[in-house]
Amino acid sequence: MISIKELSKVFHTKDQDVQAVDQLNLEIDKGEIYGVIGYSGAGKSTFIRLLNRLEDPTAGSIRIDNQDITSLNKGKLRLARQEIGMIFQHFNLLWSRTVHDNIAFPLEIAGMTKAKRDKRVEELIDLVGLKGRGQSYPSQLSGGQKQRVGIARALANNPKVLLCDEATSALDPETTDSILDLLVDINEKLGLTIVLITHEMHVIRKICHQVAVMESGRIVEQGDVLDVFLYPKEKVTKRFVDQVMGDPEREHSLNLINDTYKTGEILQLHFIGENTNQALISEISRSFKVDVNILHGKITQTQKGAYGTLFVQFAGEEQEIKRAIEYCRSTSVEVEVSPHV
């Protein structure tokens, strides 16, 4: 659906040249929710603006649905942009227009008749959960409602791609989750390809299928969200994963485990995807003569499944403990054994 080759953007300033995006390559499949994450200054906002040529690239190419966006003249680009919706961090609504008229605005520009505009706007208002608010003004809406208007406006022309530029950064956590749920719903109902940039791993974890990590204008790591959570390679990726999986009490808990449990074996179990539903602990208790103490654990959910970590103690006869550990390893649960954590 989206193919990006050797994409670069250099900003020329009075004092220096700034390489915002540096030879970026990316493939995004149709119907995918693709997350791009990076800290401030990583180049992600410039990257997403390059996708609809709000910024022109210095080098490289962008193909969307087999059309080379980078080679289009202004007239053809205007038409191509009708198939690329965009929502923004600070909503970018027209404050003198009602909800209805904000959503209708791109349809007016496209030359749609008023009767068709009104029908389409009502469909979109219903889709984003704003029924009855069509005649309200932005100043009368909450942050989440404003973003819903922004999403409806971005969908007005039935785009093939929806670009989300830090779409939830200005919202509180509960409202963020409701907007993310709406994006998932839209993705599933319309089969829409969504490219979402953020600095919050919670956003990636909750709705994205694939993720790319940006640093200094480059993609330093990419892949399936669950794989990136499980096996982060780069330092910056590990910092992002810690946003969700990090546990400020973990070190204290492990020190307490060391001090309290002097016998048996301490295991760290990693449950992945459907494995999180396995009754492993109860099965071990029934099948082996070992005492199982659950010491510390955490679980998180991604679009591709759950990931959980559990610290347990196996106590009992040495041979029986070994048999229980071997049984764990025979399942698809990953096992790390350490007598002293």
Coordinates of all heavy atoms in Angstrom, one line a residue, residues 14 17 23 61 100 138 160 191 201 215-216 220 251 289 309:
K14 N 20.0 29.3 8.3 CA 21.1 30.2 8.1 C 22.4 29.7 8.7 O 23.5 30.0 8.1 CB 20.7 31.5 8.9 CG 21.7 32.7 8.7 CD 21.2 33.9 9.5 CE 22.2 35.0 9.4 NZ 21.7 36.3 10.1
D17 N 22.7 23.0 8.1 CA 21.8 22.1 7.5 C 21.4 21.1 8.5 O 22.2 20.5 9.2 CB 22.4 21.4 6.2 CG 22.6 22.4 5.1 OD1 22.0 23.5 5.1 OD2 23.4 22.0 4.2
Q23 N 17.5 8.9 4.7 CA 17.5 7.6 3.9 C 16.6 6.6 4.5 O 17.0 5.4 4.8 CB 18.9 7.1 3.7 CG 19.8 8.0 3.0 CD 21.2 7.5 2.8 OE1 21.8 6.8 3.7 NE2 21.8 7.7 1.6
S61 N 11.6 8.4 -2.7 CA 10.3 8.3 -3.3 C 9.3 7.8 -2.3 O 9.6 7.0 -1.4 CB 10.4 7.4 -4.5 OG 10.7 6.1 -4.2
H100 N -20.8 20.1 12.1 CA -21.3 19.8 10.8 C -20.5 20.4 9.7 O -20.0 19.8 8.7 CB -22.8 20.1 10.6 CG -23.3 19.8 9.3 ND1 -23.1 20.5 8.2 CD2 -24.2 18.7 8.9 CE1 -23.8 19.9 7.1 NE2 -24.4 18.9 7.6
P138 N -16.7 24.1 18.1 CA -15.6 23.5 18.8 C -15.4 24.0 20.2 O -15.0 23.2 21.1 CB -14.4 23.9 17.9 CG -15.0 24.1 16.6 CD -16.3 24.6 16.8
K160 N -7.9 6.5 1.4 CA -7.3 5.1 1.5 C -6.4 5.0 2.6 O -6.1 3.9 3.1 CB -6.6 4.8 0.2 CG -7.5 4.7 -1.1 CD -6.7 4.5 -2.3 CE -7.6 4.5 -3.6 NZ -6.8 4.4 -4.8
G191 N -11.5 -0.9 6.5 CA -10.2 -1.5 5.9 C -9.2 -0.4 5.6 O -8.4 -0.6 4.7
M201 N 4.5 4.6 24.0 CA 4.5 3.2 23.7 C 3.1 2.6 24.0 O 2.7 1.6 23.4 CB 5.6 2.4 24.4 CG 5.9 1.1 23.8 SD 6.6 1.2 22.1 CE 7.1 -0.5 21.8
E215 N 15.1 7.3 15.3 CA 16.1 8.1 16.1 C 17.0 8.8 15.1 O 17.5 8.2 14.2 CB 16.9 7.1 17.0 CG 17.8 7.8 18.0 CD 18.5 6.9 18.9 OE1 18.8 5.7 18.5 OE2 18.7 7.3 20.1
S216 N 17.2 10.1 15.3 CA 18.0 10.9 14.5 C 17.7 10.8 13.0 O 18.6 10.7 12.2 CB 19.5 10.5 14.7 OG 19.8 10.7 16.1
V220 N 15.6 2.8 13.3 CA 16.7 1.9 13.9 C 16.2 0.5 14.3 O 17.0 -0.4 14.5 CB 17.2 2.6 15.2 CG1 17.9 3.9 14.8 CG2 16.2 2.8 16.3
E251 N 12.8 -3.9 41.0 CA 14.1 -4.2 41.7 C 13.9 -4.4 43.2 O 14.5 -5.3 43.7 CB 15.0 -3.0 41.5 CG 16.4 -3.2 42.0 CD 17.4 -2.0 41.7 OE1 17.0 -1.2 40.9 OE2 18.5 -2.0 42.2
K289 N 5.6 -33.1 42.5 CA 5.7 -32.9 43.9 C 6.5 -31.7 44.3 O 7.6 -31.8 44.8 CB 6.2 -34.2 44.6 CG 5.3 -35.4 44.4 CD 5.8 -36.6 45.1 CE 4.9 -37.8 44.9 NZ 5.5 -39.1 45.5
T309 N 5.1 -11.6 32.2 CA 6.3 -12.2 32.9 C 5.9 -12.5 34.3 O 5.2 -11.7 35.0 CB 7.4 -11.1 32.9 OG1 7.8 -10.8 31.6 CG2 8.6 -11.7 33.6

